Amino acid sequence: MATYDLVVIGTGPGGYVCAVRAAQLGMKVAVVEKNATLGGTCLNVGCMPSKALLHASEMFEEAGHSFAKMGVSVSAPKLDLPAMMNFKQQGIDGNVKGVEFLMKKNKIDVLKGTGKILGTGKVEVSADGKSQTIETKNIVIATGSDIARLKGIDIDEKRIVSSTGALSLDKVPGKLLIVGAGVIGLELGSVWHRLGAEVVVVEFLDRILPGMDGEIAKQFQRILEKQGFAFKLGAKVTAVDTSGKTLKATVEPAAGGTAETLEADVVLVCIGRVPYTEGLGLKEAGVALDARGRVQIDAHFATSVKGIYAIGDVVAGPMLAHKAEDEGVAVAEIIAGQAGHVNYDVIPGVVYTTPEVSSVGKTEEELKQAGVAYTVGKFPFTANGRSKVNQTTDGFVKILADAKTDRVLGVHIIGREAGEMIHEACVLMEFGGSAEDLARTCHAHPTRSEAVKEAALAVGKRAIHM
């Protein structure tokens, strides 16, 4: 019987990063993976393939609508969807091979099969009707999340799809109905809208992007509507009739009222994700779950059972790959006797649409609710030189700082490359920096990042370029 210092169940960003860090710290490590390839949802059917399609569809859109005004004459682009899907698959394969390489390089054993915890120090791995029991000093649950389902609406991944099916449609739907105006719905809606689909988004709440700064969300909705998205907010899809050639969705006001019927070729259900704990044997092993089905952990990622830890989407907190990665590193260091730590106040989030939306720290709504006195600095990309010459001026930067100390509490950006620009705010916030620190940091000209500096200057009511 094989014995390990650590067995990690799941090889998504949290799991494989945890395994690598533990191996670096001298532990004998194994990972358990039930799927054919490593990398979890993120690399196979999530973050990575969606970014490939977002990039490819943006190029298609640019070639069709933006090249001419820059003096680049090309004939109208033709969509070769199978080739675009092949481009996506090449990206997936490259990333998956990268994780396989990291396992070999760090001498981590990869155990293919479904993992089940038999209690402290024992994991059963089952595949093809056979099972083996592995002994280990520590176990990390990194099984991630699964799609949340709508009651009474069956996902077949052909006409009624989850994010997984929406990444592999064999033709562009004429009409795409999206249930849920969160990050995933808006990203995948952007892909298919650029490729020619008519997109309608139905959202239960009265706003898009729940949890994001309200002012940013409102501006983003206006931009998406200008692009051609239609939104039905404060509404819910209660049924989808699949009997005809086109789907017929019943949409009702969230508060109750008269229903309407919307026709669609494809319905994409993306109302969030739920922790994946199926078949793990958690109940039998005595691992406690919270009311939402997440594994309960303490401040050191330890579950209710000694030697068993949990990280990532399966525990509380934002369901983000980079949050899982940081937790993976932290728990490996804790198991090794070090002081692993994650600063949950500085975890950025990005919507990879065009323009992008990024944020880190507190929203205005959160600061108001907490009764924190704050100052706001805003700067629009219409006043940013680089954005003006590129004619990509949608959006703005917003910085929230403590009214007494000037410490930056939150930064929110909507604009081109916002996902890259957010990180100087993250570094500043990790060091407890002030808006003044950011305002006095020299930024290269001409760059979009100058808008961040100007927003910091605007906190002190002294922006130069507006």
Side-chain angles (χ1 to χ4, degrees):
M1 188 188 284
T3 305
Y4 294 94
D5 295 310
L6 173 64
V7 169
V8 182
I9 305 175
T11 63
Y16 86 74
V17 167
C18 176
V20 169
R21 183 70 187 116
Q24 286 175 346
L25 292 165
M27 291 183 227
K28 188 184 178 190
V29 184
V31 292
V32 180
E33 179 54 65
K34 65 181 172 58
N35 293 323
T37 53
L38 305 181
T41 295
C42 178
L43 270 65
N44 292 279
V45 289
C47 337
M48 293 308 190
S50 66
K51 298 313 154 289
L53 292 183
L54 280 158
H55 175 64
S57 63
E58 188 181 353
M59 294 299 100
F60 179 79
E61 169 101 354
E62 292 270 306
H65 297 94
S66 301
F67 282 7
K69 72 178 180 185
M70 293 186 278
V72 181
S73 295
V74 293
S75 54
K78 290 186 179 69
L79 176 64
D80 182 344
L81 192 56
M84 193 178 280
M85 290 295 170
N86 185 46
F87 171 76
K88 176 198 77 172
Q89 192 57 48
Q90 287 171 357
I92 294 171
D93 294 344
N95 279 315
V96 166
K97 285 191 179 80
V99 177
E100 286 170 3
F101 165 76
L102 289 173
M103 298 299 103
K104 286 192 184 102
K105 180 191 168 193
N106 290 284
K107 298 180 175 56
I108 296 162
D109 290 346
V110 177
L111 309 173
K112 287 293 177 83
T114 303
K116 184 179 180 183
I117 296 168
L118 302 178
T120 301
K122 281 193 172 63
V123 177
E124 181 184 76
V125 182
S126 306
D128 306 322
K130 296 175 189 162
S131 65
Q132 58 171 323
T133 302
I134 312 297
E135 285 203 346
T136 177
K137 291 174 189 166
N138 300 284
I139 299 166
V140 169
I141 302 164
T143 46
S145 57
D146 193 8
I147 53 166
R149 288 165 171 78
L150 265 177
K151 203 176 170 189
I153 297 173
D154 292 328
I155 292 169
D156 61 12
E157 298 297 17
K158 289 183 177 65
R159 293 207 294 166
I160 301 179
V161 299
S162 70
S163 52
T164 302
L167 289 166
S168 301
L169 297 177
D170 56 7
K171 65 178 180 189
V172 179
K175 289 184 177 177
L176 173 63
L177 175 65
I178 299 173
V179 188
V183 175
I184 297 168
L186 299 180
E187 286 185 358
L188 292 172
S190 291
V191 168
W192 294 109
H193 179 259
R194 288 172 199 159
L195 300 180
E198 195 182 301
V199 174
V200 178
V201 183
V202 177
E203 168 57 49
F204 188 79
L205 299 175
D206 60 359
R207 54 161 294 172
I208 71 169
L209 291 180
M212 278 258 183
D213 188 86
E215 187 181 11
I216 292 275
K218 275 192 189 121
Q219 169 102 340
F220 188 43
Q221 186 182 331
R222 283 197 291 270
I223 290 168
L224 290 175
E225 284 170 341
K226 209 164 78 181
Q227 289 176 6
F229 275 61
F231 289 96
K232 287 189 178 295
L233 304 178
K236 58 184 177 182
V237 174
T238 54
V240 179
D241 180 357
T242 59
S243 61
K245 198 178 171 190
T246 57
L247 301 169
K248 288 184 172 61
T250 305
V251 180
E252 296 176 14
T258 312
E260 62 174 318
T261 302
L262 296 182
E263 286 198 15
D265 299 292
V266 172
V267 172
L268 165 57
V269 178
C270 42
I271 54 167
R273 296 182 67 85
V274 292
Y276 188 90
T277 56
E278 195 184 323
L280 271 173
L282 300 185
K283 195 178 175 187
E284 298 85 342
V287 175
L289 304 180
D290 69 13
R292 290 170 62 179
R294 301 173 298 197
V295 178
Q296 278 190 317
I297 53 170
D298 65 12
H300 297 98
F301 309 100
T303 69
S304 54
V305 178
K306 191 172 166 49
I308 302 177
Y309 303 82
I311 59 166
D313 285 6
V314 85
V315 302
M319 288 185 168
L320 296 168
H322 44 282
K323 175 255 197 187
E325 288 186 32
D326 275 15
E327 289 180 335
V329 168
V331 75
E333 291 173 348
I334 287 166
I335 290 167
Q338 297 184 3
H341 172 69
V342 177
N343 180 2
Y344 291 100
D345 289 329
V346 186
I347 294 182
V350 182
V351 189
Y352 296 91
T353 45
T354 303
E356 290 182 343
V357 181
S358 64
S359 70
V360 64
K362 302 295 184 191
T363 64
E364 260 199 89
E365 290 77 11
E366 285 170 335
L367 292 176
K368 278 176 186 162
Q369 200 177 349
V372 175
Y374 64 93
T375 47
V376 185
K378 284 187 277 197
F379 191 81
F381 285 105
T382 48
N384 171 262
R386 179 70 182 274
S387 300
K388 268 202 273 204
V389 296
N390 288 11
Q391 295 186 20
T392 52
T393 55
D394 277 338
F396 62 98
V397 178
K398 176 178 182 176
I399 294 176
L400 305 169
D402 188 289
K404 292 191 191 80
T405 65
D406 195 40
R407 184 173 180 159
V408 173
L409 303 173
V411 177
H412 308 277
I413 308 173
I414 178 166
R416 290 289 179 111
E417 299 170 10
E420 302 294 340
M421 289 163 60
I422 197 69
H423 296 107
E424 67 169 304
C426 297
V427 173
L428 179 93
M429 289 168 69
E430 275 292 347
F431 284 87
S434 65
E436 181 74 8
D437 291 326
L438 198 48
R440 291 197 177 273
T441 300
C442 189
H443 284 61
H445 175 77
T447 58
R448 290 188 177 91
S449 293
E450 286 176 286
V452 177
K453 175 179 177 164
E454 289 273 6
L457 284 164
V459 170
K461 298 186 170 46
R462 61 181 206 275
I464 301 294
H465 289 93
M466 62 173 281

